[in-house]
Amino acid sequence: MAEIAIVLGTNLAVLMGAMLVLWLISIPLKDVSFIDSFWALGFVLAAFVTFAITPGGDLERKGLILAITTVWGLRLGGYIFWRWRKEGPDKRYVALLSKAPGNVHVFTLTKVFLLQGVLLWVVSLPVQLGQIPATPQGVGLLAWIGAGLAIVGIFFETIGDYQMARFKSDPGNAGKVMDQGLWRYTRHPNYFGDACVWWGLFLVAAETGPGRLSFVGPALLTFLLVQWSGAALLERRLKRSRPEYEDYIRRTSSFIPMPPKRAKPAETGSA
């Protein structure tokens, strides 16, 4: 229990400290959009901090967790940072800050940076608790299944992001709905990939005693992606701005990839 408390407490302090630094950077920039790239990189930070403060132990499992988290986090964080530099401030944050009550900097500190720091800390439980066992146990079948699921998730995210970036780079697609490639089978291949990665990391961690408790992390992430800041928020905006999105919703799975539904034939009749 003492080791769990040390790991969780250290990571919380590190993440909150990082969020304070990023908040200070955001003030002269007058933009908080870059926080989304740190959302991914923060998990890598938590994984390395945990690795550093839990010497020895199950190095095979720790290495697997570190490798998956690093590949996922650096790829996603780099992509979001590139998108921010290319497209400018995120419209979601612009709208949020335009309605901020009182001092806007105090609002961004509490409602953007510190809030995301706490959420990041909870979601990262698999990379924290999965590295804690003091004695080597070896990576078992469940962990390798989890690693495979995480690889599938990284594939979905990477290909989905590439397809969307390529679609948006064509001026002829302005205002259109992306419904090709992986986006033909799920409206959110990137979010589905995210969920796969973190449920996969949970399976890697679940072979350990403390790691079994980390299911809270991917459960929270899935809720955030599906019901709160991810798909639900995005779809409300797209339904307002793109009328054809309703038809896309009718024929395409929301989250889990499925074959697209066929359009119903038009009804005919005689006068």
Side-chain angles (χ1 to χ4, degrees):
M1 289 300 294
E3 192 171 13
I4 293 176
I6 291 172
V7 167
L8 295 180
T10 301
N11 276 303
L12 182 61
V14 169
L15 292 173
M16 290 298 102
M19 288 298 178
L20 285 172
V21 171
L22 293 172
W23 171 67
L24 292 173
I25 293 173
S26 75
I27 294 175
L29 289 178
K30 297 180 180 179
D31 183 13
V32 301
S33 305
F34 64 87
I35 186 61
D36 284 350
S37 62
F38 183 77
W39 169 261
L41 299 176
F43 292 104
V44 181
L45 177 61
F48 272 93
V49 168
T50 305
F51 188 89
I53 64 177
T54 55
D58 195 343
L59 293 179
E60 186 179 9
R61 187 179 317 281
K62 291 171 68 175
L64 183 59
I65 289 174
L66 203 64
I68 292 172
T69 307
T70 301
V71 170
W72 171 81
L74 292 182
R75 201 288 311 174
L76 180 58
Y79 169 72
I80 296 176
F81 186 82
W82 166 82
R83 189 178 63 187
W84 170 60
R85 298 301 299 162
K86 182 175 183 291
E87 300 179 358
D90 190 310
K91 294 179 181 178
R92 296 172 303 163
Y93 288 117
V94 172
L96 178 66
L97 299 187
S98 68
K99 302 174 183 178
N103 187 297
V104 68
H105 298 309
V106 174
F107 180 83
T108 59
L109 173 63
T110 57
K111 301 300 183 181
V112 177
F113 289 95
L114 295 184
L115 175 60
Q116 289 208 33
V118 172
L119 294 175
L120 195 161
W121 176 71
V122 176
V123 174
S124 68
L125 285 176
V127 306
Q128 298 183 66
L129 300 182
Q131 296 189 62
I132 284 180
T135 56
Q137 299 180 27
V139 174
L141 177 61
L142 184 63
W144 288 119
I145 292 174
L149 179 60
I151 291 171
V152 170
I154 293 172
F155 167 82
F156 257 85
E157 258 196 316
T158 303
I159 299 302
D161 284 341
Y162 169 76
Q163 291 173 340
M164 178 59 79
R166 187 176 180 182
F167 177 83
K168 293 171 69 175
S169 69
D170 184 351
N173 290 328
K176 294 182 180 179
V177 173
M178 168 55 162
D179 60 356
Q180 304 299 314
L182 294 179
W183 301 82
R184 184 169 180 261
Y185 302 98
T186 167
R187 303 199 298 273
H188 305 285
N190 49 345
Y191 295 154
F192 172 75
D194 248 353
C196 286
V197 170
W198 284 93
W199 282 111
L201 282 167
F202 163 69
L203 294 179
V204 176
E207 289 186 334
T208 72
R212 296 189 188 100
L213 303 175
S214 68
F215 74 92
V216 175
L220 174 61
L221 178 69
T222 304
F223 170 77
L224 295 175
L225 292 175
V226 176
Q227 298 293 338
W228 192 39
S229 63
L233 183 63
L234 176 62
E235 294 202 338
R236 284 197 296 269
R237 178 169 62 82
L238 289 175
K239 284 191 286 188
R240 290 195 301 267
S241 61
R242 301 178 188 181
E244 65 271 26
Y245 198 79
E246 291 282 5
D247 182 59
Y248 179 55
I249 290 175
R250 283 192 290 269
R251 69 176 185 269
T252 309
S253 172
S254 173
F255 196 70
I256 299 175
M258 300 284 288
K261 298 177 182 178
R262 293 184 179 182
K264 293 182 179 180
E267 294 183 3
T268 60
S270 55

